[in-house]
Amino acid sequence: MRPHVITAAADSVAAQFVGVSTFAQRLRQTVVHAAPLTIPVHITGPSGAGKEVVAELLHSLSRRTGAFVAVNAASIPTDLVESILCGHARGAFTGASDRTNGVVEDARGGTLFLDEIASASRATQGALLRILDGRPYRPVGGGPERQPSCRIVSASNESLADAVREGVFRRDLYYRLVGVELALIPLRDRRDDIGPIADVLLARAAAASGYQRRLSAAARQRLEHEPWPGNVRQLRWVIERAVAFAKRDEIKEVDLGLRDAPEPAPVSPHPLAAQLAEHGFDVRRLAAHHGVHPATVYRWLEAEGIEAPRRSAARRGRQ
């Protein structure tokens, strides 16, 4: 399997968005309404918040008969864009020993999930534009024309609108991707959901390992008061580790492997300018360091009267 491509069945247990908060209820309602549509959906939110889970939920509720295929759009090499998306014929290039379908064909009748779309190269953006326009395509090296028939769902942990304004994302592609927009929020901002999510993750981890496990009251309380900069993904790792290493059926607070005192939720750093310099004046790196969305860092900069740097030269070099 190609390393940057992940496929999942429509009935995957991961395709369940767990939560009891007002946010979770509203999100589920929006997903239910959007799922049967054919228009593209764009999902925003911080890393680890569950963007792919929501994409899988959209697919499973859509009743589409094809597969759910996930691709990291930022990792597609520029010289292989056409091959990855459209496939290639045998002998099309060095190393092409067999005919291979592209991800558009793999997702025929299903859903193609494009993760980290804001960081896609210009070449990838151009190829996706043609697919979203519904134009027929051919595999690299020749073959019969094929008509794209997959639904597109994309995701990013930064604002596509900001990327368009900065000139690093195509405006015409933006309008074709954002038919319906779903915005996820950090786990720390929906604390009512932490317990139910932890219960589901615990049940899955215990079933996979064959252990009988339950959370103690103190462990549950600790989970509910953690800041979770890594969001649901970080919570899953903590639960899976505790299931594996707990010495008894009841998971104690010490089994969680968390620090002695919960870290406070991220606040505006001071001095912000010095931290920005330490991260190479790269807003995305600084945002990742604090576990927040890049837009939050831009707001910090504006509040402190610091001129926001343009996106790093390193990122521009990927185009």
Side-chain angles (χ1 to χ4, degrees), residues 133-285:
D133 277 342
R135 304 178 203 171
Y137 65 92
R138 294 181 187 273
V140 176
E145 275 195 343
R146 298 173 179 176
Q147 190 73 30
S149 68
C150 55
R151 193 225 193 132
I152 302 294
V153 178
S154 60
S156 176
N157 59 9
E158 57 185 292
S159 169
L160 273 188
D162 286 346
V164 170
R165 282 191 289 268
E166 294 177 11
V168 297
F169 198 84
R170 296 181 59 144
R171 184 178 299 273
D172 48 4
L173 180 58
Y174 169 81
Y175 286 117
R176 286 166 175 80
L177 285 173
V178 188
V180 175
E181 187 165 18
L182 303 176
L184 306 189
I185 61 176
L187 185 58
R188 63 176 176 272
D189 291 340
R190 51 187 186 104
R191 293 196 177 276
D192 289 348
D193 294 339
I194 294 176
I197 293 172
D199 288 337
V200 170
L201 295 174
L202 179 62
R204 292 176 186 168
S209 65
Y211 293 121
Q212 296 290 327
R213 293 286 189 262
R214 62 182 183 277
L215 289 169
S216 69
R220 180 179 297 276
Q221 186 176 34
R222 180 59 181 275
L223 292 176
E224 292 173 348
H225 287 82
E226 281 291 306
W228 300 115
N231 296 295
V232 180
R233 182 181 297 123
Q234 181 189 6
L235 175 59
R236 186 180 76 240
W237 291 339
V238 168
I239 293 292
E240 290 179 355
R241 184 178 61 223
V243 167
F245 292 103
K247 294 181 174 61
R248 56 194 67 83
D249 290 347
E250 184 177 66
I251 295 175
K252 303 290 188 181
E253 183 179 355
V254 68
D255 298 320
L256 299 175
L258 297 169
R259 297 178 181 176
D260 289 340
E263 296 178 359
V267 295
S268 178
H270 181 78
L272 185 57
Q275 292 204 19
L276 189 59
E278 290 174 2
H279 289 82
F281 298 97
D282 188 324
V283 170
R284 297 180 69 211
R285 287 175 54 194

Side-chain angles (χ1 to χ4, degrees), residues 90-159:
R90 180 178 180 180
F93 49 82
T94 302
S97 57
D98 294 297
R99 183 184 70 81
T100 303
N101 286 335
V103 294
V104 176
E105 185 65 21
D106 288 342
R108 174 171 291 278
T111 301
L112 178 59
F113 175 58
L114 303 167
D115 199 8
E116 296 189 31
I117 190 65
S119 298
S121 68
R122 280 285 181 174
T124 300
Q125 292 178 40
L128 288 173
L129 184 64
R130 294 193 296 276
I131 291 166
L132 282 162
D133 277 342
R135 304 178 203 171
Y137 65 92
R138 294 181 187 273
V140 176
E145 275 195 343
R146 298 173 179 176
Q147 190 73 30
S149 68
C150 55
R151 193 225 193 132
I152 302 294
V153 178
S154 60
S156 176
N157 59 9
E158 57 185 292
S159 169

